Amino acid sequence: MSPRPSPRRRPTGRAASGFVLLLLTTGAAQAAPPTPGDGLFISPFGEPFRSRAGLADWFSGADSDRDASVSPAEFRADGLRFLSRLDTNRDGRVDGFENTAYENEVAPEILPQSAVFRSDRPDGGGPAPRARGLEGAASFGLLDEPQPVRGADLNYDGKITADEQSKAAARRFALLDPEATGRLSLSVLQARLKAREAPPAGVGRFFRRRPD
C-alpha cells in the first residue's frame, strides 16, 4: 500500500504574512491603471485641462467679462495668455525647445507614444482615440489640430510669435463660430465636443465627418 500523501501545510506566522502581501502586490500589478486621457480636455490653443469639466473650466477662464459667452477678443487673449506661459525664456516667442517642453511636460497625452493612443488600452471603455479618426490634441478638443501650438506657426520657421498666435486665434474662432455670431457659448461647444467624441458605427467609421 502506497503511503498517504501528507496534508498541505498552511502558511503561518511570517510565511502567512508574506503570502498575503504577495497576493496584494500581484493584484495591484494586475489592476488596470487609470487611462491618461480620462477627463482630459485640450483647449483650441493646446492647453490641457485634466478634469471631466475641462471644457467648462477652460470656457470660464476665457470668459473674462463673465457674460456667459466668449468673444473674439477674449478668445485671442486666452491664446496669448497660454503662449506667454509656454515662453519660458521671455523672448516673446515659443521656439523649438519650448515646443518640445510643451509636448513632453505640459501635454504629453498628445504624443503618438502616449498610452491613450494604444489599441490595447487597459480601460476597456471604448475605442482608442485614433480608432475614431482623430490624432493628438484633436482627440481631446474642439478642432482637428493634432498639435495646436505648432499649428500656429504660420511661416514654418519653428517659432510662434504673438502675431501668429493672434492670427491662429481668428482662424480657430471662425471654425468654432460657423454662423459668424461673434460669440461662443458653452452649450454649443459642449454639443460639438460630444459629437466629436461619439464613435462612428458601421461603415460610417470609414467616412466620419468631423464638425470642423
Side-chain angles (χ1 to χ4, degrees), residues 33 36 111-123 126-131:
L111 294 175
Q113 63 266 32
S114 172
V116 294
F117 293 123
R118 288 169 42 193
S119 60
D120 59 341
R121 292 191 308 163
D123 61 320
R130 281 208 175 133

Side-chain angles (χ1 to χ4, degrees), residues 98-111 147 150:
E98 291 162 331
N99 220 322
T100 299
Y102 162 72
E103 294 173 342
N104 288 283
E105 300 171 18
V106 179
E109 294 93 340
I110 73 173
L111 294 175
Q147 218 286 25
R150 293 188 188 276

